[in-house]
Amino acid sequence: MSDVTPSSHSNAKINRRALLSGSIGFIATAGVLLPSRPVCAIEKDYRHGALSVMDFGARPGLSDNTASLDAAVRAAAARGLGLYIPQGRFWVRELRLRNGLRFIEGPGWLVGSDCGPEAVITTNDLGSTTPVRNMRISVRIDCNYIARRGIFGVALQDSEISDCEIVNLSHNGGDAIRLNFPGSSGNVVTRNRVVLATSGAARFPEGLFGIHVVGESVTSKGGLERLGRPSFVTMTTRNNRIIANHVTGGTHGIGFFSAPDFICSDNLLERQILRNIIAGPTCIRGVIERNRCMEAGSSGVHIALGSSMVRIANNLIRSSRVSENEDDDAAIQAYAYCTDIEITNNDIAGDWRYGVYVGYARNVMIFGNSIDATNFRSASIAIESGWQSTLPPQARFSRARAVGYQIDIDTTDIFVKRNIINGGPAAFSLAQIGPRSLTRVRLVSNRVRSAATDVVAVELKPGALADLELIGLDTDAAAPHLELPRGRAHFSRIEGVKIP
């Protein structure tokens, strides 16, 4: 028997193979089974509280599904349901999500249309203060080299962006996922995969970010005033967690801009044109930990411009792409009015200029890091009071000239302890540059193996009250070379190290 007739009252013939495979369902009407929509993942999601965009006229391959998708969002939001995007490519100008929508998900792709949207998915007009809350966004987005952003969360709160895939974005000033002021707070961005351009810094003067968290500020530079000191304003984009994402390419993998109380952990960031992770200006109270930062053109982790109370810990940072930006190149950088920074237990290797660079900063602990400096071009750990230096090449400052803001503070209270350094031209470089002081730097119980030139290189101006301490240096050199033009006068205390 090749066909099954469900009722003598129905002339509809149904293929037996389709019936047994479960691709056809039935609706009982007055005792008669009638064929219904195919039983598939869509209907399974119906039972879990979702509508399908297909029910509102959306079809894969149509040149513009915007009206159908918007109708689907409105209906799902009004009923407190989710939205399902089945297999296929759904072209859309811009899809606005609304309060009441529980989630949007599915295996289908949302594709930026020829109309050139600001973002494929957005939650609000830029500047809107109406919160959009408690939803999950799990979609696949093809920006089609047209959309400036994949997901643009404005005033998005207590929501989750997870398991998304975002590709084909190369817009100057673009972001695959952006949480924007005002009020984008309490969100989790996790398990997303982003693929961006991997070369050409000149093409993106305004940046191209994988994941970008942008806070409210009193100036376009995040509260950093022209006088050069940060203005700690009330910032409303806070408490966002960026966890376990994979970002390839872009100028920056993950960025925080005036976004306090953040967590950035367990992400894989690779082949960024400039920086894997950047935090600043004025990022206060943050954690950057257990990330894998690979092949950045400028720095692995970069914090600057008024950022404070940030912990950088247990990150794996490898290699650099020196052809992109040779003048700004360190695995970890903390400078320009950074205060209360902890850099601890990071694993650093590659062909960086510096392993850790600190300048114009206060209250910084550099503790327990492992630095393989075999292929470094300068010092493993550099601490400076400005952005210019006359030190020899093995301990040269990372910038040839001042760039951006001149944050006018002393570099002081830097504690460098129990780091393990292997190879490299110089282990430690301490330099007073410009009018500000370099003071209260303590090098305690560090271990240095096979430094090629200098174990410690110091450059201070005559009469500077440095208050430096060098205690318990463990080195395999019989008489470690300390580049000290004025000898012991640089240090208030030297113990456990031999001065040649």
Side-chain angles (χ1 to χ4, degrees):
M1 181 176 175
S2 60
D3 296 314
V4 175
T5 303
S7 168
S8 59
H9 298 283
S10 173
N11 293 322
K13 289 192 175 184
I14 302 172
N15 183 275
R16 179 175 180 270
R17 184 176 298 171
L19 174 65
L20 294 177
S21 69
S23 62
I24 293 181
F26 295 88
I27 300 174
T29 304
V32 179
L33 292 176
L34 299 177
S36 69
R37 297 172 60 252
V39 176
C40 61
I42 295 175
E43 296 204 357
K44 292 178 183 178
D45 275 88
Y46 280 164
R47 292 193 289 270
H48 289 86
L51 303 179
S52 170
V53 298
M54 301 281 282
D55 289 339
F56 296 84
R59 294 292 182 268
L62 290 181
S63 60
D64 186 5
N65 283 285
T66 304
S68 299
L69 292 170
D70 181 66
V73 167
R74 290 175 182 272
R79 297 168 60 182
L81 298 174
L83 195 61
Y84 184 83
I85 303 172
Q87 288 280 2
R89 292 171 62 81
F90 295 83
W91 294 73
V92 59
R93 293 193 304 274
E94 182 174 279
L95 183 60
R96 172 72 59 85
L97 306 185
R98 302 177 186 278
N99 269 318
L101 181 69
R102 288 177 51 218
F103 60 83
I104 177 170
E105 65 177 18
W109 287 86
L110 297 178
V111 183
S113 77
D114 292 337
C115 298
E118 172 72 14
V120 176
I121 286 181
T122 185
T123 60
N124 256 318
D125 292 326
L126 182 61
S128 173
T129 58
T130 302
V132 177
R133 294 190 173 101
N134 301 316
M135 68 174 60
R136 175 170 54 83
I137 303 171
S138 301
V139 294
R140 304 172 80 186
I141 295 177
D142 181 352
C143 292
N144 199 29
Y145 302 107
I146 296 173
R148 184 176 183 178
R149 299 183 174 96
I151 299 172
F152 191 25
V154 179
L156 183 65
Q157 297 181 2
D158 303 319
S159 295
E160 178 181 308
I161 301 174
S162 62
D163 302 295
C164 296
E165 185 173 359
I166 302 176
V167 299
N168 295 334
L169 189 153
S170 61
H171 198 294
N172 179 35
D175 325 89
I177 299 172
R178 178 163 175 153
L179 299 177
N180 209 76
F181 69 86
S184 288
S185 301
N187 301 292
V188 177
V189 181
T190 184
R191 301 188 307 276
N192 301 288
R193 181 175 181 268
V194 174
V195 180
L196 304 172
T198 57
S199 64
R203 296 164 53 199
F204 309 107
E206 298 178 23
L208 176 62
F209 285 76
I211 300 170
H212 203 185
V213 183
V214 180
E216 187 177 35
S217 62
V218 297
T219 74
S220 63
K221 297 299 181 183
L224 209 65
E225 304 296 345
R226 292 182 181 277
L227 294 178
R229 290 184 179 275
S231 173
F232 294 101
V233 298
T234 301
M235 293 171 288
T236 58
T237 298
R238 62 175 68 243
N239 294 319
N240 293 290
R241 291 172 287 168
I242 314 300
I243 301 172
N245 301 280
H246 182 184
V247 180
T248 301
T251 58
H252 301 79
I254 298 174
F256 299 91
F257 186 109
S258 298
D261 303 306
F262 68 89
I263 294 176
C264 178
S265 70
D266 302 285
N267 300 284
L268 171 58
L269 309 156
E270 57 182 352
R271 301 184 67 193
Q272 273 69 52
I273 298 170
L274 295 178
R275 302 175 178 98
N276 298 125
I277 299 171
I278 182 170
T282 49
C283 289
I284 304 168
R285 295 179 302 275
V287 175
I288 301 172
E289 64 180 1
R290 297 191 306 275
N291 300 285
R292 287 183 292 164
C293 301
M294 318 296 287
E295 296 186 43
S298 174
S299 54
V301 177
H302 176 107
I303 60 173
L305 301 174
S307 296
S308 65
M309 292 178 279
V310 178
R311 182 171 186 260
I312 305 169
N314 301 299
N315 299 285
L316 177 69
I317 305 177
R318 289 288 183 269
S319 190
S320 73
R321 304 164 69 203
V322 297
S323 61
E324 290 285 355
N325 192 347
E326 296 189 15
D327 288 334
D328 186 10
D329 183 11
I332 298 176
Q333 292 179 310
Y335 69 95
Y337 208 93
C338 283
T339 60
D340 302 301
I341 306 299
E342 180 183 338
I343 302 171
T344 181
N345 295 323
N346 298 284
D347 187 340
I348 298 170
D351 58 349
W352 303 100
R353 184 178 297 275
Y354 291 118
V356 176
Y357 173 81
V358 173
Y360 278 137
R362 292 177 175 173
N363 301 322
V364 179
M365 174 180 284
I366 305 170
F367 179 86
N369 300 283
S370 175
I371 303 176
D372 184 350
T374 304
N375 296 315
F376 280 20
R377 288 164 286 135
S378 294
S380 296
I381 297 176
I383 302 167
E384 298 184 346
S385 64
W387 289 355
Q388 293 178 335
S389 176
T390 59
L391 284 175
Q394 69 267 22
R396 187 180 299 159
F397 177 61
S398 62
R399 290 180 186 261
R401 60 189 181 279
V403 177
Y405 295 94
Q406 291 284 356
I407 306 302
D408 193 21
I409 64 169
D410 294 335
T411 296
T412 185
D413 294 308
I414 313 298
F415 189 42
V416 184
K417 184 176 182 181
R418 293 185 181 174
N419 299 281
I420 300 175
I421 297 170
N422 181 66
F428 305 99
S429 168
L430 312 179
Q432 182 195 5
I433 302 166
R436 285 296 178 174
S437 298
L438 176 69
T439 182
R440 295 200 296 274
V441 178
R442 289 163 174 80
L443 309 179
V444 179
S445 301
N446 296 284
R447 180 178 179 182
V448 178
R449 292 290 180 266
S450 305
T453 308
D454 298 327
V455 174
V456 179
V458 176
E459 178 190 36
L460 295 175
K461 293 187 175 182
L465 300 176
D467 189 16
L468 308 181
E469 294 185 4
L470 178 60
I471 301 171
L473 179 66
D474 178 4
T475 176
D476 57 2
H481 183 202
L482 307 182
E483 181 67 31
L484 307 178
R486 293 193 298 119
R488 299 178 66 95
H490 288 298
F491 290 86
S492 61
R493 182 180 178 190
I494 296 178
E495 295 179 4
V497 62
K498 191 173 185 179
I499 301 292

